[in-house]
Amino acid sequence: MDLATRRRQRSLFVFFLLPGIAISSWVTRTPDIRDQLEASTAQMGLVLFGLSVGSMIGILSSGALVSRLGTRPVIGIGTTLVVVSMAVIGCGALIPSAPVVTAGLALFGAGMGSGEVAVNIDGARVESLTGRTVLPTLHGFFSLGTVAGASLGILSTAVEFPVHWHLLAIAVLAALLFAAAYGAIPAGVGKRAGGAGEAGDGTGSG
């Protein structure tokens, strides 16, 4: 495996680790968010509905976006939405505002739904190039991220660390991971020229 492909594979691991950390971070702080919003169980159901709507939009649009733009921009857009969502959810808890938290969850769902589909497509391409199994390890890094994020969330809850600062810190961490990994993802993978045929080997612009 050449250096560029090795760096690309490591970056894909990061793009699975990152949403795992993010999703478990806000899940472990959901009781604190609920308390700050002073929301009933029914109201929290409506707030969490934003995640479902965002996920559906992200997943349903990802295939078309990858065909039009390639995996790299979709991974970039999706990850950016995940990063921003952490800050928005934190701000919604601070204000407090249920609609803002709902919007943050919708952004998270859309970002994770679209980005992870694109990462899987890119991972399948790496498998094709290297002849090695990659996707199970990618999914394992998501699980690793959930363990790390949940551990931080439990610790933050135990020491009563403010939820808005916690989620802002996760947003900063996610942004740093994104910046470190994004450059290794090549352009053109999954992109279809004129509506037919995948572009080359993912090393060009399509």
Side-chain angles (χ1 to χ4, degrees):
M1 186 187 304
D2 60 48
L3 179 59
T5 302
R6 189 176 297 111
R7 289 183 63 243
R8 176 181 180 183
Q9 180 174 286
R10 287 198 297 262
S11 293
L12 293 176
F13 292 156
V14 170
F15 284 117
F16 260 99
L17 180 75
L18 189 157
I21 293 172
I23 192 170
S24 58
S25 294
W26 70 257
V27 165
T28 54
R29 301 308 301 268
T30 297
D32 296 300
I33 294 172
R34 178 202 59 207
D35 292 346
Q36 289 190 219
L37 294 177
E38 298 182 347
S40 66
T41 301
Q43 290 170 329
M44 281 303 294
L46 291 175
V47 169
L48 293 171
F49 186 62
L51 176 65
S52 300
V53 172
S55 296
M56 288 177 61
I57 293 173
I59 291 170
L60 292 175
S61 64
S62 184
L65 289 172
V66 170
S67 293
R68 183 177 181 83
L69 304 173
T71 57
R72 189 173 194 267
V74 179
I75 291 171
I77 293 168
T79 306
T80 298
L81 290 178
V82 169
V83 172
V84 171
S85 73
M86 292 294 100
V88 173
I89 295 169
C91 288
L94 176 64
I95 296 174
S97 169
V100 173
V101 173
T102 303
L105 289 173
L107 289 175
F108 180 87
M112 183 172 171
S114 59
E116 295 309 286
V117 170
V119 174
N120 274 288
I121 293 171
D122 210 274
R125 183 59 178 163
V126 170
E127 285 189 334
S128 177
L129 289 172
T130 63
R132 300 177 181 177
T133 302
V134 174
L135 292 177
T137 307
L138 287 177
H139 299 155
F141 267 80
F142 177 83
S143 298
L144 178 62
T146 62
V147 171
S151 299
L152 289 171
I154 292 169
L155 177 61
S156 297
T157 301
V159 300
E160 298 183 349
F161 188 66
V163 63
H164 55 279
W165 288 120
H166 174 202
L167 295 184
L168 180 59
I170 295 298
V172 172
L173 173 63
L176 292 174
L177 290 173
F178 175 33
Y182 190 59
I185 305 299
V189 177
K191 185 177 180 179
R192 296 182 179 275
E198 182 177 320
D201 63 358
T203 58
S205 61

